[in-house]
Amino acid sequence: MLFKGKLSIQLLLFGVLFCLTTTVKAQSTMDLRINEVLVMNQANYIDDFGQHSPWIEFFNSAYNTVDMGGLYLTNDLEKPTMYQIAKGDPTTKIAPQNYLVFWGDDHSTRGIRHLNFDLSSSKLVALFDANGRTLIDVVKLDQTHRTDTTYGRITDGGSEWGFLDKSTPGANNNTKTVITSAEKFGMVDPSGLGMAVIAMSVVFSALALLYVFFKNVAKLYTIDYRRLSARKQVVASEKPADGSGEHTGEVNAAIAMALHLYRNQLHDHENTVLTIRKVSRTYSPWSSKIYGVLNNSR
Amino acid sequence: MEQQSFLGFITDHLGQFLGYTAFANMTVGHLIMIAIGLIFIYLAIAKEYEPMLLVPIGFGILVGNIAFFPGLKVGIYESGSVLNYLYFGVLQGVYPPLIFLGIGAMTDFSALISNPKLILIGAAAQLGIFGAYALALALGFSPSEAGAIGIIGGADGPTAIFLSSKLAPDLMGAIAISAYSYMALVPVIQPPIMRLLTSKRERLIRMRPPRAVSKREKAIFPIAGLLLTCFIVPTGLPLLGMLFFGNLLKESGVTKRLADTAKGPLIDIVTILIGLTVGASTQATTFLTAKSVGIFALGAASFVVATFGGVMFVKAINLFLKEGNKINPLIGNAGVSAVPDSARVSQVVGLEYDKTNHLLMHAMGPNVAGVIGSAVAAGILLSFLY
């Protein structure tokens, strides 16, 4: 029975761990986004063969490196496994919050980042997970595309799409100067008073929560639940049928006797108990042969 | 090719070698920094001011300010050098949480659990952080830099290193040195402020002896502490998570070996590495600037404001407490997290006025609350300014 219990706990733990690990993996690839597409490339970004080919940029919105190796790209949702990105290549790994560009030129012999379909003749482009079934992201390309103007997310990984003022392969789509949160905070609160008020309130709230918790925990600990429940049971069992709640003379006498015996038998020290412990002593001068032999002078 | 004489060869190469020596590359700044390092070592050995920190930092300053010919992968800022690899733990904020693990494993929170209202003193003393933040902004530092400088007021070296590595890595050396220097000087900075803000009658207040805390309460504390604080400030998780984890190792009673490692060899190793590398990061070329001087001035101000905040808060809550339950305001200074130095200051100053009034155990409550408070404050600064 015990073994069965342990086994079920182990199975449960294994199941939880399995779910967690699969979720983590799924979250990594599911954080990839199609970020920017150039369908008609005449004088834009040049590939490693010196060609102006259509290109597509992916953005890793996660805060860990994601490997695109093994994933599928397609321009037909009915054929999700049209192009598999080669596994085991270091160039398919995207650093956190970073980008990777593929060429949709229908020249897959030119390298693993050259697709086997042409973006300029595609109605859409989609990214599928390594299982070939889970759709990660898709973008429709049925807009009227302009030459050398990219279609992309207004902010990296964001939901709003549009034609971008500047094409930014392998770079941030938002080309305006980004103001950091610290700079924004500094502009709104130049004296630091706001920070002091907010932060001190938060520090106090966090520690006040601890105070409230431990104040009440201390109260809970001072209650002796065993004695309380025992007393309730005694009271319930000794309660007279008429409900007067008074103890009889016999009960009082018994309590007095019990208290008397208890107090008289109290003592400060436990009765001394002698024990004989065998001490291992391999050598003693008392048993030494040297002292048992007469040393006659010559 | 012209044949070089043997003598010429020797002379040329000796000249080249001399160009590599520290004598050839030394500047006045290096000499000043070496003098500062020697002062740190002297204070640590002769005066026993925070020797565990000042000896590694002081020696690290010497190591970092031996002038060398650049490009030989020697300096702490040169990629691929051994010191650079060790410095990685500082830059990426690896060492501070490990130190917090050890602190958690060696801290007894009984004083805090037995009198939970002392926790709030640990919150009040964090005023120093935000006072210094406001002053730094007024002196022209950027908000990120001001946040990193402000944390000096928490009087917590690992927290200061952790936050400055995120918000202002360039200022980290100056901030860490400033934080540790003022932590060592707590017995000098705090007593005059404590005396100034309290009356003789207040200094003689006797506090109730703390109640006994059960083993179960002690084991619940790190779990509840983590959940209650980190749900509010998840950015403090690296520090608070490790602090409470270390404490659970200690209080659970079943992981003695792990607790012993965390509070013994592990914290010792990390202290050596963090002290040496932070010291070595103070190369004269990057350290001796007007900003560093400003940071030292702000550090001193932050300690003063923190002490003020703690003492005044105790005086304020005493207005609402009944006679017999009042708190001696001399333990208000201990709200900064210089453990156990500031609690010791409370004890020493308290004994000056009443030889039988021992405040140490009472002061340990706000002192350890200060550790939690400064980590929470660091988390808040990180969420707003990172």
Side-chain angles (χ1 to χ4, degrees), chain A residues 210-211 213-219 221-222, chain B residues 108-119 207-219 221 251 325 327 331 359-366 368-369:
Chain A
L210 267 181
Y211 160 66
F213 183 82
F214 278 97
K215 194 167 183 265
N216 294 307
V217 161
K219 276 183 191 166
Y221 267 85
T222 52
Chain B
D108 185 354
F109 285 97
S110 304
L112 197 66
I113 301 167
S114 67
N115 193 356
K117 59 177 173 283
L118 300 181
I119 293 175
M207 294 173 66
R208 279 185 179 177
R211 71 173 172 85
V213 176
S214 72
K215 194 182 161 194
R216 204 179 298 173
E217 274 179 289
K218 285 185 186 178
F221 181 80
E251 301 299 356
N325 279 339
I327 303 169
I331 69 166
L359 295 172
L360 187 66
M361 273 315 289
H362 301 292
M364 279 309 288
V368 292

Side-chain angles (χ1 to χ4, degrees), chain B residues 63 110 180 182 208 263 269 291 293-294 322 330 361 376 383:
Chain B
V63 170
S110 304
Y180 281 121
Y182 290 123
R208 279 185 179 177
K263 71 180 177 189
I269 290 167
K291 275 188 174 178
V293 177
K322 288 177 195 164
L330 290 180
M361 273 315 289
V376 170
S383 19

Side-chain angles (χ1 to χ4, degrees), chain A residues 181-182 185-186 189-192 195-196 198-200 202-204 206-211 213-215 217-218 221, chain B residues 116-117 119 123-124 127 130 133-134 137 143-144 211 214 216-217 220-221 224-225 228 232 372 380-381 384-386:
Chain A
S181 53
F185 207 96
D189 178 34
S191 66
M195 171 67 93
I198 297 169
M200 284 304 284
V202 179
V203 174
F204 262 102
L207 295 189
L209 261 179
L210 267 181
Y211 160 66
F213 183 82
F214 278 97
K215 194 167 183 265
V217 161
Y221 267 85
Chain B
K117 59 177 173 283
I119 293 175
L127 190 68
F130 304 105
Y133 171 79
L137 283 179
S144 299
R211 71 173 172 85
S214 72
R216 204 179 298 173
E217 274 179 289
I220 289 173
F221 181 80
L228 295 175
I232 296 177
I372 302 170
I380 297 163
L381 288 167
F384 285 132
L385 304 175
Y386 187 50

